[in-house]
Amino acid sequence: MIWVTRMDSLLTNITSLTDLLTGVGTMITALAGVFAAISVIVKPIRKKVGDWIVNNISRAHIIDQRLENFDNALGNIQTSIDGMKTEIQNIRTENQIQNESIELIKHANIDEMKHTLTEMYYQAKKDNGISRYNRTNFVTMFETYSKLGGNSYVHELYDQILEMPILDD
């Protein structure tokens, strides 16, 4: 009978173990179902998140490359502008030098015309008149002299030349 009692006890334990294993099996099956459901739900989310990360990293790289290209272009433009500024300054300096030269030439021409007009006046005064040709030349030269800024006693000579008699050529 001891044997039977032990057998009963063992069967009871086996039944309990079977029940336990059945319960564990049921729980494992349930967990497998939950994990399968999670996998079905998470996989598309994981794919979307992964794709989003890859796309944004790719876009960020493209944006970084474009910004670098833009910076390079701005640097090239700045270099060109700096070169243009230098060239403009050189042109301004050259123009100033040329303007000074033109002023010197202008004053030399004014002085030369003043001298010539004075000589023409004294020759006409000596001749007691002026030829039509010399009068026309005197008037033309006087107008140029005035336009260049000549403003000395020559204006009086001009008035006197206009009053002198015209000589036959």
Side-chain angles (χ1 to χ4, degrees), residues 2-33:
I2 290 186
W3 223 71
V4 171
T5 310
R6 282 191 176 173
M7 235 4 193
D8 269 348
S9 176
L10 186 60
L11 283 171
T12 306
N13 285 340
I14 289 177
T15 306
S16 293
L17 185 60
T18 305
D19 289 341
L20 179 67
L21 288 177
T22 303
V24 169
T26 304
M27 287 172 70
I28 289 174
T29 304
L31 283 174

Side-chain angles (χ1 to χ4, degrees), residues 33-45:
V34 169
F35 285 133
I38 289 172
S39 175
V40 167
I41 293 170
V42 169
K43 186 175 181 181
I45 293 171

Side-chain angles (χ1 to χ4, degrees), residues 41-57:
I41 293 170
V42 169
K43 186 175 181 181
I45 293 171
R46 185 179 50 90
K47 175 140 177 55
K48 292 229 183 243
V49 168
D51 290 347
W52 181 83
I53 291 170
V54 168
N55 286 339
N56 284 328
I57 289 173

Side-chain angles (χ1 to χ4, degrees), residues 70-120:
F70 185 71
D71 285 344
N72 290 339
L74 285 177
N76 292 340
I77 290 170
Q78 186 62 47
T79 301
S80 296
I81 288 172
D82 291 343
M84 287 179 193
K85 283 180 181 177
T86 301
E87 189 61 31
I88 288 170
Q89 186 59 41
N90 291 342
I91 291 170
R92 284 183 178 154
T93 302
E94 183 63 31
N95 280 345
Q96 186 175 355
I97 291 168
Q98 289 177 359
N99 286 341
E100 290 170 1
S101 296
I102 289 170
E103 278 299 309
L104 291 173
I105 292 168
K106 181 177 121 177
H107 287 294
N109 282 335
I110 287 172
D111 290 343
E112 182 64 31
M113 283 188 267
K114 184 191 315 183
H115 175 75
T116 302
L117 290 169
T118 303
E119 282 185 342
M120 289 175 75

